[in-house]
């Protein structure tokens, strides 16, 4: 495999392979790195840094790990190397003359024959590039098959050290203040809305924040995921896969081999971090209010294996269950340390499951398992219902303590202590589903979803209700406020969008891909950054949330290529009408058109949403909260401004999973939508 490697004095590991920081500009800037050990490399290569500095040559050191990639080894050894440019902007020009160039659906490509020489076990060479502008981000590719110049290309992401002085990801003083304001307002909004809006209430549980009254549902939701991956074939291999493009992660019909087992997991390979370490230094992290216990699928497949102690304890908790060991509780302390406590005798184990004779260094504020909770901060005390929990509380938490928090956090806490209570079995089941966000067409999620959405196909859960939970969960993330502030902290909207999308792909290394199984479960923005490879729906949810927080009108569209001859696939993306752009898989994919995204015309509407409104805009069976009349007006504006025409569907019923439908031409669809207003009534959350 060909991998970009870079080196600087503060060497930040940002990717599964390596990421590094760009140094201050100089007349001839050289960036290099020592080859990493074989054990540190993965099939899905992530590497390098940016942005580049305009008009200053930048040397990129490349290393080839397999002799098969080197040509002419005995005389003039070279390696084929490809630089990819955006379709809408030239990222840079290569000093060495390219061997050939071509244009593909994703941009302009230059292929180089780069001279290399043997250094130890590797072949090493240099590419020199001059960027086109100070905002340039460079994407570098590698050819797997020279005879297949488009589909044979693998993109190697350019990772930016977010806090480096040369990074374009830095906020101004005004931008930092704005990020803090956006984040606080988002928390105030959801705390108030959760009293009456079920989307907000379950959005809090989807966020996996500890600021909820029932943290036990997080373990219950994770248990559903564990049930799926430990009882179905192929998930042992899925856990081992580190390449987000692997075809083995697509629908389960392609899966084979044994199911996942926690015996595969070495907790020693996971590094414990604090909450503040998840985010850039300029992100508006509030403290306890932003403590999260991310979902188990995201924790297990964290790209850099950096997780909190609570998340490590969660892995150990389920590992104990699989081994049939005695029941344990998870104990969390005010310094974010976490432990397992054996129910029978109160024996203490550190977060990786290793026994310890020492008592915790900090006060305990939360003890829980799937059934019982002691959480005075949120008004929970189940000690009267469980003697083992009572004994553990007496042993380790006789004097209730709470994490350090601000007056603002206390005010939010006072609301959430009441609004996040789950009083009925139905509420607990919905919170459980929200916490794991599993696919309603898969067992064991399907059985639970089916009990609470009678009269609709499971598509309504998957593409509407779950997505609305996630959108609200995303709005209270420091990531969302930080990216929204980056987008707003620029003179023009398009510059802000270019910055935010550039940071998403090149700064955070978020790619289109999968980690367990395509569409097994949905992720929040925090979980997305952790795993780094998500499908189009998750990318769209993240950017819709960012734009919502920034106050920028956006419409999330799930579409399919219009007939005739359209493949049986769908794609979800975000339209930004004010800027006239489409954000697809976290990148600006189209300018001046809202339907021509990548190589297909995604003009047959499956599902749409705008802020808190959503709809399956099907003639004769319109479902949603966004009124048909208003949807018709929205798409008439698209047609008048951009000339875009959207096909629609007419539905005559549905089965357990899908609407039955037929395509309606653009003109007929738009003309008929207002007539749906007379038959429509707003969808009510279960």
């Amino acid at each position: 495999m060909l991998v970009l490697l870079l080196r600087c004095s503060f060497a930040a590991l940002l990717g599964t392979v390596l990421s590094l920081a760009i140094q201050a500009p100089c007349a001839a800037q050289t960036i290099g790195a020592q080859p990493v050990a074989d054990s540190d490399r993965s099939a899905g290569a992530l590497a390098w840094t940016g942005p580049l500095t305009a008009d200053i040559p930048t040397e990129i050191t490349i290393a080839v790990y397999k002799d098969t990639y080197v040509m002419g080894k005995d005389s003039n050894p070279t390696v084929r190397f490809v630089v990819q440019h955006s379709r809408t902007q030239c990222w840079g020009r290569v000093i060495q003359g390219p061997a050939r160039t071509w244009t593909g659906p994703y941009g302009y490509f230059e292929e180089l024959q780069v001279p290399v020489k043997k250094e130890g076990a590797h072949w090493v060479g240099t590419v020199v590039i001059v960027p086109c502008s100070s905002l340039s981000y460079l994407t570098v590719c590698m050819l797997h098959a020279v005879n297949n110049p488009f589909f044979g290309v693998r993109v190697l992401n350019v990772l930016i050290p977010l806090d480096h002085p040369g990074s374009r990801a830095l906020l101004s003083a005004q931008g930092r203040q704005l990020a803090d304001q956006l984040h606080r307002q988002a928390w105030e909004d959801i705390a108030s809305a959760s009293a009456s809006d079920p989307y907000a209430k379950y959005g809090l549980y989807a966020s996996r924040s500890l600021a909820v009254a029932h943290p036990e549902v997080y373990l219950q939701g994770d248990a559903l995921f564990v049930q799926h991956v430990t009882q179905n074939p192929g998930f042992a291999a899925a856990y081992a896969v580190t390449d987000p493009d692997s075809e083995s992660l697509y629908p389960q019909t392609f899966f084979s081999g044994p199911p996942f087992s926690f015996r595969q997991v070495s907790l020693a390979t996971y590094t414990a971090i604090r909450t503040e370490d998840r985010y850039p230094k300029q992100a508006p992290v509030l403290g306890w209010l932003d403590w999260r216990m991310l979902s188990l699928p995201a924790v297990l497949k964290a790209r850099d294996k950096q997780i909190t102690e609570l998340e490590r304890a969660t892995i150990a908790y389920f590992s104990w269950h699989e081994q049939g060991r005695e029941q344990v509780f998870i104990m969390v302390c005010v310094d974010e340390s976490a432990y397992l406590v054996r129910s029978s005798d109160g024996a203490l184990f550190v977060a990786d499951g290793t026994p310890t004779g020492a008592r915790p260094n900090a006060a305990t504020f939360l003890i829980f398992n799937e059934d019982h909770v002691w959480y005075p901060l949120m008004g929970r005390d189940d000690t009267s219902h469980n003697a083992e929990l009572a004994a553990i509380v007496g042993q380790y938490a006789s004097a209730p303590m709470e994490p350090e928090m601000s007056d603002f956090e206390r005010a939010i806490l006072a609301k959430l202590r009441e609004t996040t209570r789950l009083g009925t079995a139905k509420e607990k089941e919905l919170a459980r589903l929200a916490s794991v966000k599993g696919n309603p067409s898969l067992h064991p999620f399907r059985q639970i979803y089916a009990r609470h959405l009678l009269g609709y196909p499971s598509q309504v859960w998957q593409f509407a209700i779950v997505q609305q939970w996630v959108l609200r969960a995303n709005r209270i993330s420091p990531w969302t406020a930080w990216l929204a502030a980056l987008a707003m902290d620029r003179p023009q909207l398009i510059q802000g969008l270019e910055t935010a999308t550039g940071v998403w792909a090149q700064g955070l290394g978020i790619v289109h891909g999968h980690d367990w199984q395509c569409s097994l479960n949905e992720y929040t923005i925090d979980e997305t950054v952790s795993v780094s490879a998500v499908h189009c729906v998750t990318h769209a949810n993240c950017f819709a949330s960012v734009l919502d927080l920034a106050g920028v009108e956006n419409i999330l569209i799930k579409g399919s290529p219009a007939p005739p001859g359209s493949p049986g696939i769908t794609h979800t993306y975000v339209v930004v009408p004010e800027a006239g752009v489409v954000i697809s898989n976290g990148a600006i994919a189209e300018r001046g058109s809202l339907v021509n995204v990548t190589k297909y015309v995604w003009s047959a509407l499956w599902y749409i949403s705008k802020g808190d409104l959503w709809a399956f805009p099907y003639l004769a069976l319109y479902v949603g909260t966004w009124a048909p009349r208003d949807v018709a007006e929205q798409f008439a504006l698209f047609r008048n401004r951009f000339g875009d025409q959207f096909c629609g569907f007419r539905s005559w019923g549905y089965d357990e999973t899908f609407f039955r439908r037929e395509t309606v031409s653009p003109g007929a669809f738009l003309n008929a939508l207002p007539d749906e207003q007379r038959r429509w009534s707003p969808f009510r959350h279960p």
Side-chain angles (χ1 to χ4, degrees), residues 560-562 564-570 600 602:
S560 61
S566 58
I569 55 177
T570 63
Y600 294 120
W602 305 94

Side-chain angles (χ1 to χ4, degrees), residues 83-127:
V83 174
Q84 174 191 351
H85 305 283
S86 163
R87 286 200 296 170
T88 56
Q89 181 178 352
C90 170
W91 295 139
R93 50 191 172 83
V94 182
I95 298 298
Q96 299 103 317
R100 65 191 183 102
T101 63
W102 70 92
T103 300
Y106 289 115
Y108 168 68
F109 297 82
E110 297 178 274
E111 180 188 322
L112 311 177
Q113 299 276 12
V114 181
V116 291
K117 62 180 180 179
K118 193 78 169 181
E119 292 189 5
H122 310 294
W123 297 89
V124 179
T126 302
V127 176

Side-chain angles (χ1 to χ4, degrees), residues 472-485:
R472 286 159 176 78
N474 286 346
R475 292 172 194 165
I476 56 173
S477 169
W479 283 115
T480 308
W482 178 71
L483 286 166

Side-chain angles (χ1 to χ4, degrees), residues 211-242:
V212 296
H214 292 266
E216 73 273 20
V217 301
Y218 294 158
L219 293 175
Q220 294 169 10
D222 289 340
L224 293 175
F225 163 78
V226 171
Q227 183 179 345
H228 182 77
V229 299
T230 59
Q231 294 181 3
N232 288 287
F235 284 101
Y239 174 72
V241 169
T242 56

Side-chain angles (χ1 to χ4, degrees), residues 154-304:
R154 176 179 299 281
V155 175
L156 304 184
N157 285 290
V158 183
L159 298 182
I160 308 165
L162 300 177
D163 299 318
H164 187 264
S167 172
R168 293 288 170 181
L170 294 182
L171 289 167
S172 65
Q174 182 179 1
R176 291 195 296 273
Q177 184 179 14
L178 176 62
D180 184 69
Q181 292 172 347
L182 291 172
H183 191 44
R184 288 170 179 263
Q185 188 63 55
W187 270 109
E188 288 182 348
D189 289 346
I190 201 168
S192 298
S194 59
S196 58
D197 179 5
Y199 291 105
K201 181 171 187 169
Y202 299 115
L204 282 160
Y205 282 95
S207 77
R208 305 281 297 210
S209 168
L210 291 188
V212 296
H214 292 266
E216 73 273 20
V217 301
Y218 294 158
L219 293 175
Q220 294 169 10
D222 289 340
L224 293 175
F225 163 78
V226 171
Q227 183 179 345
H228 182 77
V229 299
T230 59
Q231 294 181 3
N232 288 287
F235 284 101
Y239 174 72
V241 169
T242 56
D243 179 3
D245 294 325
S246 173
E247 293 183 2
S248 65
L249 298 177
Y250 280 82
Q252 191 166 332
T253 52
F254 296 98
F255 277 34
S256 62
F260 169 75
S261 168
F262 283 93
R263 292 189 298 272
Q264 298 175 244
V265 181
S266 171
L267 274 168
T269 64
Y270 290 84
T271 303
I273 60 172
R274 294 174 59 85
T275 291
E276 62 186 17
D277 298 326
R278 291 195 196 272
Y279 306 102
K281 292 178 181 178
Q282 292 189 327
V285 184
L286 286 170
W288 168 80
L289 199 55
D290 281 322
W291 289 10
R292 284 167 172 77
M293 172 185 168
L294 299 186
S295 64
L296 190 59
V299 168
L300 285 168
K301 292 298 286 282
R303 177 180 61 190
D304 52 12

Side-chain angles (χ1 to χ4, degrees), residues 369-384:
N369 62 15
E370 292 170 75
D371 302 309
H372 301 287
V373 178
W374 179 82
Y375 199 4
L377 187 64
M378 298 303 293
R380 293 289 306 281
D381 186 352
D382 292 348
T383 54
S384 62

